[in-house]
Amino acid sequence: MTEASSYSLAELVIVACAQAWKDDGEIMATGIGPLPRLGTALAKKLYNPALQTTDGEVFYGDEPVAPGKRSGPVVYEGVANYDRVFSALWGGRRHAMVGPVQFDRYGQANISIIGDHTRPKSAMLGARGFPGNSICHPNSFFFPNHNKRALVEGEVDFVCMAGYNPARYLNGKPPRGLDLRIIVTNLCVMDFGGPDHQIRVVSLHPGVTFEEVQDNTGFPLAKIADEIPTTPAPTPDQLTLIARLDPNNVRATVFKDNPAGDRRAAA
């Protein structure tokens, strides 16, 4: 497969995110934020045409709907009302990629508060649907800034999402439905495939080292191999498809100054 010679970090991340839904079959895909959302769109067009994507409001569409301003009519396949969405969610027929504010070694995620619960430094969304979502369907994660404030030492300040922390369960075993998949950041791709679900690095973005990833993570990481693969770059055809799926070029606004996907190209 021929890789493109020039691509942005956002486009590299979109291709990496798309892998999350590649083999899911006919389920509802939810990508929170522009890049995960474009990842669902790319997955549907390249790998998994049965994937169900919505217009971000209340309808399923036959084609992924671009983020930002609507560029054309949408052919709706059905209504995505609460009844359908929550039936899919509770039945395990949804795979979400979410962007917590904090994340820990167990996969416990925080979107609620920073600091002590009684006197928080900042208050955000609240736990919302994270507790139920985490034990009812698969979840993956996206972090635009891979650092120790996001991937924290110890536990997150407020556990909103179940993780692989035996101390949190009466019998030491996590809930049966817990299924945490991949973690895509601006530095690498990770999963939970290490010993006892330890988070491990499965690919490094071009020009990034394992030591840099570890230095920006608050807990020890495992490796998939001594020689960690490089995150696959987009192909020219994938770049063309991404441009069609994102005609408003929203992807260029996610990372400051829209950096290159291969940082060595900018050196």
Side-chain angles (χ1 to χ4, degrees):
M1 184 178 293
T2 302
E3 296 182 343
S5 58
S6 177
Y7 51 90
S8 69
L9 176 60
E11 290 162 339
L12 178 77
V13 165
I14 292 167
V15 173
C17 289
Q19 298 298 314
W21 297 277
K22 184 177 181 180
D23 301 314
D24 278 349
E26 188 177 354
I27 67 162
M28 180 181 184
T30 304
I32 304 297
L35 302 188
R37 178 173 170 175
L38 287 165
T40 68
L42 190 65
K44 182 176 177 68
K45 298 300 292 182
L46 281 182
Y47 312 121
N48 186 0
L51 203 62
Q52 299 169 341
T53 57
T54 76
D55 64 349
E57 296 178 5
V58 293
F59 291 102
Y60 292 103
D62 71 330
E63 292 287 321
V65 175
K69 184 180 178 181
R70 296 285 171 87
S71 57
V74 178
V75 176
Y76 294 121
E77 291 186 323
V79 64
N81 56 18
Y82 279 144
D83 181 39
R84 282 191 169 182
V85 169
F86 284 101
S87 293
L89 190 156
W90 291 326
R93 299 189 303 277
R94 182 204 198 204
H95 180 175
M97 180 174 283
V98 297
V101 174
Q102 287 184 326
F103 200 67
D104 62 31
R105 69 185 64 196
Y106 307 109
Q108 297 174 144
N110 177 20
I111 58 170
S112 182
I113 57 104
I114 298 295
D116 183 84
H117 191 259
T118 59
R119 296 178 63 85
K121 296 177 182 176
S122 61
M124 296 166 288
L125 297 175
R128 297 182 71 88
F130 263 36
N133 293 356
S134 62
I135 60 172
C136 287
H137 61 70
N139 287 277
S140 292
F141 305 90
F142 169 62
F143 293 90
N145 294 302
H146 187 139
N147 57 48
K148 291 183 178 178
R149 287 180 300 174
L151 290 95
V152 301
E153 183 179 6
E155 285 192 283
V156 295
D157 291 349
F158 189 85
V159 177
C160 300
M161 174 175 275
Y164 301 111
N165 182 2
R168 286 281 176 182
Y169 307 108
L170 291 177
N171 59 6
K173 295 181 179 179
R176 186 171 57 183
L178 186 64
D179 184 1
L180 306 182
R181 300 279 178 89
I182 67 170
I183 308 160
V184 181
T185 80
N186 59 319
L187 298 179
C188 66
V189 179
M190 300 179 285
D191 68 9
F192 295 84
D196 298 323
H197 301 289
Q198 183 183 12
I199 295 175
R200 66 177 180 178
V201 179
V202 297
S203 72
L204 295 163
H205 297 346
V208 177
T209 65
F210 175 79
E211 288 72 24
E212 180 181 1
V213 174
Q214 183 62 81
D215 288 346
N216 283 279
T217 307
F219 46 85
L221 295 167
K223 301 177 181 178
I224 193 171
D226 290 338
E227 295 293 329
I228 301 173
T230 301
T231 306
T235 68
D237 288 345
Q238 287 173 339
L239 290 180
T240 300
L241 181 54
I242 290 171
R244 196 165 77 234
L245 294 168
D246 182 27
N248 300 305
N249 201 21
V250 174
R251 64 193 182 283
T253 67
V254 175
F255 297 114
K256 183 181 180 182
D257 300 328
N258 194 25
D262 187 342
R263 61 172 61 180
R264 296 166 299 186

